[in-house]
Amino acid sequence: MEQKIHQGRNVKRFREMLGIKQEALAYDLGEDWNQKKISMLEQKDVIEDNLLKQISDSLRIPVEAFKNFDEDNAVNVIANTFGDNACVGNPNSTFNFNPIEEVKKLHEEKIALFERMLKEKDEMIARLEQLIK
């Protein structure tokens, strides 16, 4: 029996992995959205393509990820890929990365995230000021 992909559950998984709350996703999707509507969306087996595209743009995750991700298959791949020799203490391991470059990259990503958060904060303040007027 073929297991069907639950697109709503996949939206929830990716949203949670990114540390994004339902309210934040609702805000990104527009004025018609709220936390309750996102909760109901995440319960749907199939989500309309145009809505998946909006969610994809908001979360910066390809539409195909929501349509094709299957947690059971991912766990099987991980379980079958890493054997007894796949450990940190393996003397035969080779690492092809520069730790300083990785730290620089993480720092740049953190700065970009902070800048995006500040921009979102400014937009929220502007929206609130409009509502007050």
Side-chain angles (χ1 to χ4, degrees):
M1 183 171 132
E2 186 176 321
Q3 185 176 7
K4 190 172 181 182
I5 303 296
H6 193 287
Q7 294 175 358
R9 194 173 303 128
N10 285 343
V11 168
K12 180 179 181 179
R13 281 189 186 111
F14 287 113
R15 178 185 58 74
E16 288 176 341
M17 281 190 263
L18 293 170
I20 296 173
K21 296 203 175 283
Q22 289 178 333
E23 295 88 357
L25 180 57
Y27 177 79
D28 275 356
L29 292 179
E31 292 180 10
D32 296 341
W33 288 89
N34 57 37
Q35 180 273 325
K36 185 175 181 179
K37 214 169 165 185
I38 296 294
S39 180
M40 291 170 48
L41 171 84
E42 290 176 349
Q43 295 173 19
K44 293 174 82 176
D45 286 340
V46 178
I47 300 172
E48 301 81 33
D49 287 341
N50 61 342
L51 183 52
L52 268 182
K53 176 69 173 123
Q54 284 181 289
I55 296 168
S56 168
D57 293 342
S58 177
L59 297 180
R60 295 180 179 90
I61 292 177
V63 173
E64 293 77 22
F66 301 118
K67 290 184 174 183
N68 299 323
F69 181 76
D70 182 8
E71 188 174 26
D72 293 336
N73 286 341
V75 170
N76 286 338
V77 167
I78 292 169
N80 293 329
T81 302
F82 295 101
D84 293 337
N85 293 330
C87 67
V88 176
N90 186 352
N92 298 324
S93 297
T94 56
F95 299 99
N96 297 322
F97 67 91
N98 182 347
I100 294 177
E101 290 300 319
E102 293 296 316
V103 169
K104 283 183 183 178
K105 181 179 163 188
L106 290 172
H107 181 69
E108 290 168 2
E109 289 174 4
K110 183 174 75 171
I111 289 173
L113 174 65
F114 284 140
E115 288 173 351
R116 193 172 86 222
M117 290 171 63
L118 285 172
K119 181 182 173 195
E120 289 176 7
K121 177 194 68 104
D122 292 341
E123 290 171 356
M124 180 66 82
I125 289 172
R127 228 182 206 178
L128 290 171
E129 287 174 348
Q130 287 178 347
L131 288 172
I132 291 171
K133 289 179 184 178

Coordinates of all heavy atoms in Angstrom, one line a residue, residues 61-99:
I61 N 11.5 27.6 0.7 CA 11.7 26.2 0.5 C 11.0 25.8 -0.8 O 9.9 26.3 -1.1 CB 11.1 25.4 1.7 CG1 11.9 25.7 2.9 CG2 11.0 23.9 1.4 CD1 11.3 25.0 4.2
P62 N 11.6 25.0 -1.7 CA 11.0 24.6 -2.9 C 9.6 23.9 -2.7 O 9.4 23.2 -1.8 CB 12.0 23.6 -3.6 CG 13.2 23.8 -2.8 CD 12.9 24.3 -1.5
V63 N 8.7 24.2 -3.7 CA 7.4 23.6 -3.6 C 7.5 22.1 -3.6 O 6.7 21.4 -2.9 CB 6.5 24.1 -4.9 CG1 5.2 23.3 -4.9 CG2 6.3 25.6 -4.8
E64 N 8.4 21.5 -4.3 CA 8.6 20.1 -4.4 C 8.9 19.5 -3.1 O 8.5 18.3 -2.8 CB 9.8 19.7 -5.4 CG 9.5 20.1 -6.8 CD 9.6 21.6 -7.1 OE1 10.3 22.3 -6.4 OE2 9.0 22.0 -8.1
A65 N 9.5 20.2 -2.2 CA 9.8 19.7 -0.8 C 8.4 19.4 -0.1 O 8.3 18.4 0.6 CB 10.6 20.7 0.0
F66 N 7.5 20.3 -0.2 CA 6.2 20.1 0.4 C 5.4 18.9 -0.2 O 4.7 18.2 0.4 CB 5.3 21.3 0.4 CG 5.9 22.5 1.0 CD1 6.2 23.6 0.3 CD2 6.2 22.5 2.4 CE1 6.8 24.8 0.9 CE2 6.8 23.6 3.0 CZ 7.1 24.7 2.2
K67 N 5.6 18.8 -1.5 CA 4.9 17.7 -2.3 C 5.5 16.3 -2.2 O 4.8 15.3 -2.3 CB 4.8 18.1 -3.8 CG 3.9 19.3 -4.1 CD 3.8 19.5 -5.6 CE 2.8 20.6 -5.9 NZ 2.7 20.8 -7.3
N68 N 6.8 16.3 -1.9 CA 7.5 15.0 -2.0 C 8.1 14.5 -0.7 O 8.5 13.3 -0.6 CB 8.6 15.1 -3.1 CG 8.0 15.4 -4.4 OD1 7.0 14.9 -4.8 ND2 8.7 16.2 -5.2
F69 N 8.3 15.3 0.3 CA 9.0 14.9 1.5 C 8.2 13.8 2.3 O 7.0 14.0 2.6 CB 9.2 16.1 2.5 CG 10.0 15.7 3.7 CD1 11.3 15.5 3.7 CD2 9.3 15.6 4.9 CE1 12.0 15.1 4.8 CE2 10.0 15.2 6.1 CZ 11.4 15.0 6.0
D70 N 8.9 12.7 2.5 CA 8.3 11.6 3.3 C 9.2 11.3 4.4 O 10.3 10.8 4.2 CB 8.0 10.4 2.4 CG 7.4 9.3 3.1 OD1 7.0 9.4 4.3 OD2 7.3 8.2 2.5
E71 N 8.8 11.6 5.7 CA 9.7 11.4 6.8 C 10.2 9.9 7.0 O 11.3 9.7 7.3 CB 8.9 11.8 8.1 CG 9.8 11.8 9.3 CD 9.1 12.4 10.5 OE1 7.9 12.4 10.6 OE2 9.8 12.9 11.4
D72 N 9.3 9.0 6.7 CA 9.7 7.6 6.8 C 10.8 7.2 5.9 O 11.8 6.6 6.2 CB 8.5 6.6 6.6 CG 7.5 6.8 7.7 OD1 7.8 7.2 8.8 OD2 6.3 6.5 7.4
N73 N 10.7 7.7 4.6 CA 11.8 7.4 3.6 C 13.0 8.1 4.0 O 14.1 7.6 3.8 CB 11.3 7.9 2.2 CG 10.3 6.9 1.6 OD1 10.2 5.8 2.1 ND2 9.6 7.4 0.6
A74 N 12.9 9.3 4.5 CA 14.2 10.1 5.0 C 14.9 9.3 6.1 O 16.1 9.2 6.1 CB 13.8 11.5 5.4
V75 N 14.1 8.8 7.0 CA 14.7 8.1 8.1 C 15.4 6.8 7.6 O 16.5 6.4 8.0 CB 13.6 7.7 9.2 CG1 14.2 6.8 10.2 CG2 13.2 9.0 9.9
N76 N 14.7 6.1 6.7 CA 15.3 4.9 6.1 C 16.6 5.2 5.4 O 17.6 4.5 5.5 CB 14.3 4.2 5.1 CG 13.2 3.5 5.9 OD1 13.3 3.2 7.0 ND2 12.1 3.3 5.2
V77 N 16.6 6.3 4.6 CA 17.9 6.7 3.9 C 19.0 6.9 4.9 O 20.1 6.5 4.7 CB 17.6 7.9 3.0 CG1 18.9 8.5 2.5 CG2 16.7 7.6 1.8
I78 N 18.7 7.7 6.0 CA 19.7 8.0 7.0 C 20.2 6.7 7.6 O 21.4 6.5 7.8 CB 19.2 9.0 8.0 CG1 19.0 10.3 7.3 CG2 20.1 9.1 9.2 CD1 18.2 11.3 8.2
A79 N 19.2 5.8 8.0 CA 19.6 4.6 8.7 C 20.4 3.7 7.8 O 21.3 3.0 8.3 CB 18.3 3.9 9.1
N80 N 20.1 3.7 6.5 CA 20.9 2.8 5.6 C 22.2 3.4 5.1 O 23.0 2.7 4.5 CB 20.0 2.4 4.4 CG 18.8 1.5 4.9 OD1 19.0 0.7 5.8 ND2 17.7 1.6 4.2
T81 N 22.3 4.7 5.2 CA 23.5 5.4 4.7 C 24.7 5.3 5.7 O 25.8 5.1 5.3 CB 23.2 6.8 4.4 OG1 22.1 6.9 3.4 CG2 24.4 7.6 3.8
F82 N 24.4 5.5 6.9 CA 25.4 5.5 7.9 C 25.6 4.2 8.6 O 24.7 3.6 9.2 CB 25.1 6.6 9.0 CG 25.1 8.0 8.4 CD1 23.9 8.6 8.1 CD2 26.3 8.6 8.1 CE1 23.9 9.9 7.6 CE2 26.3 9.9 7.6 CZ 25.1 10.5 7.3
G83 N 26.8 3.6 8.4 CA 27.1 2.3 9.0 C 28.0 2.4 10.2 O 28.1 3.5 10.8
D84 N 28.7 1.3 10.5 CA 29.6 1.3 11.7 C 30.8 2.3 11.5 O 31.3 2.7 12.5 CB 30.1 -0.1 11.9 CG 28.9 -1.0 12.3 OD1 27.9 -0.5 12.8 OD2 29.1 -2.3 12.1
N85 N 31.2 2.5 10.3 CA 32.4 3.4 10.1 C 32.0 4.9 10.1 O 32.9 5.7 10.1 CB 33.1 3.0 8.8 CG 33.7 1.7 8.9 OD1 34.1 1.2 9.9 ND2 33.8 1.0 7.7
A86 N 30.8 5.2 10.2 CA 30.3 6.6 10.1 C 30.3 7.2 11.5 O 29.2 7.2 12.1 CB 29.0 6.7 9.4
C87 N 31.4 7.5 12.1 CA 31.4 8.2 13.4 C 32.5 9.2 13.4 O 33.4 9.2 12.6 CB 31.6 7.1 14.5 SG 33.2 6.4 14.5
V88 N 32.4 10.1 14.4 CA 33.4 11.2 14.4 C 34.8 10.7 14.8 O 35.7 11.3 14.3 CB 32.9 12.2 15.5 CG1 33.9 13.3 15.7 CG2 31.5 12.8 15.1
G89 N 34.9 9.7 15.5 CA 36.2 9.2 15.9 C 36.9 8.3 14.9 O 37.9 7.7 15.2
N90 N 36.3 8.2 13.7 CA 36.9 7.3 12.7 C 38.2 7.9 12.2 O 38.2 9.0 11.6 CB 35.9 7.2 11.5 CG 36.4 6.2 10.5 OD1 37.5 5.7 10.5 ND2 35.5 5.9 9.6
P91 N 39.3 7.3 12.4 CA 40.6 7.8 11.9 C 40.7 7.9 10.4 O 41.6 8.7 9.9 CB 41.7 6.9 12.5 CG 40.9 5.6 12.7 CD 39.5 6.0 13.0
N92 N 39.9 7.2 9.7 CA 39.9 7.3 8.2 C 39.1 8.4 7.7 O 39.0 8.6 6.4 CB 39.5 6.0 7.6 CG 40.4 4.8 8.1 OD1 41.6 5.0 8.2 ND2 39.8 3.7 8.3
S93 N 38.4 9.2 8.5 CA 37.5 10.3 8.1 C 38.4 11.4 7.5 O 39.4 11.7 8.0 CB 36.7 10.8 9.2 OG 35.8 9.8 9.7
T94 N 37.9 12.0 6.5 CA 38.5 13.2 5.9 C 37.5 14.3 5.9 O 36.3 14.1 5.5 CB 39.0 13.0 4.5 OG1 37.9 12.5 3.7 CG2 40.1 12.0 4.5
F95 N 37.9 15.5 6.3 CA 37.0 16.7 6.3 C 37.4 17.7 5.3 O 38.6 18.1 5.3 CB 36.9 17.3 7.7 CG 36.5 16.3 8.8 CD1 37.4 15.6 9.6 CD2 35.1 16.0 8.9 CE1 36.9 14.7 10.5 CE2 34.7 15.1 9.8 CZ 35.6 14.5 10.6
N96 N 36.5 18.0 4.4 CA 36.9 19.0 3.3 C 36.2 20.3 3.5 O 35.5 20.8 2.7 CB 36.5 18.4 2.0 CG 37.2 17.1 1.7 OD1 38.4 17.0 2.0 ND2 36.5 16.1 1.1
F97 N 36.5 20.9 4.7 CA 35.9 22.2 4.9 C 36.9 23.0 5.8 O 37.7 22.4 6.6 CB 34.5 22.2 5.5 CG 34.5 21.6 6.9 CD1 34.6 22.5 8.0 CD2 34.3 20.3 7.1 CE1 34.5 22.0 9.3 CE2 34.3 19.8 8.4 CZ 34.4 20.6 9.5
N98 N 36.8 24.3 5.7 CA 37.7 25.2 6.5 C 36.8 25.7 7.6 O 35.8 26.5 7.4 CB 38.2 26.3 5.6 CG 39.1 27.2 6.4 OD1 39.2 27.2 7.6 ND2 39.8 28.1 5.7
P99 N 37.1 25.4 8.9 CA 36.2 25.8 10.0 C 36.1 27.3 10.1 O 35.0 27.9 10.4 CB 36.8 25.2 11.2 CG 38.0 24.5 10.8 CD 38.2 24.6 9.4

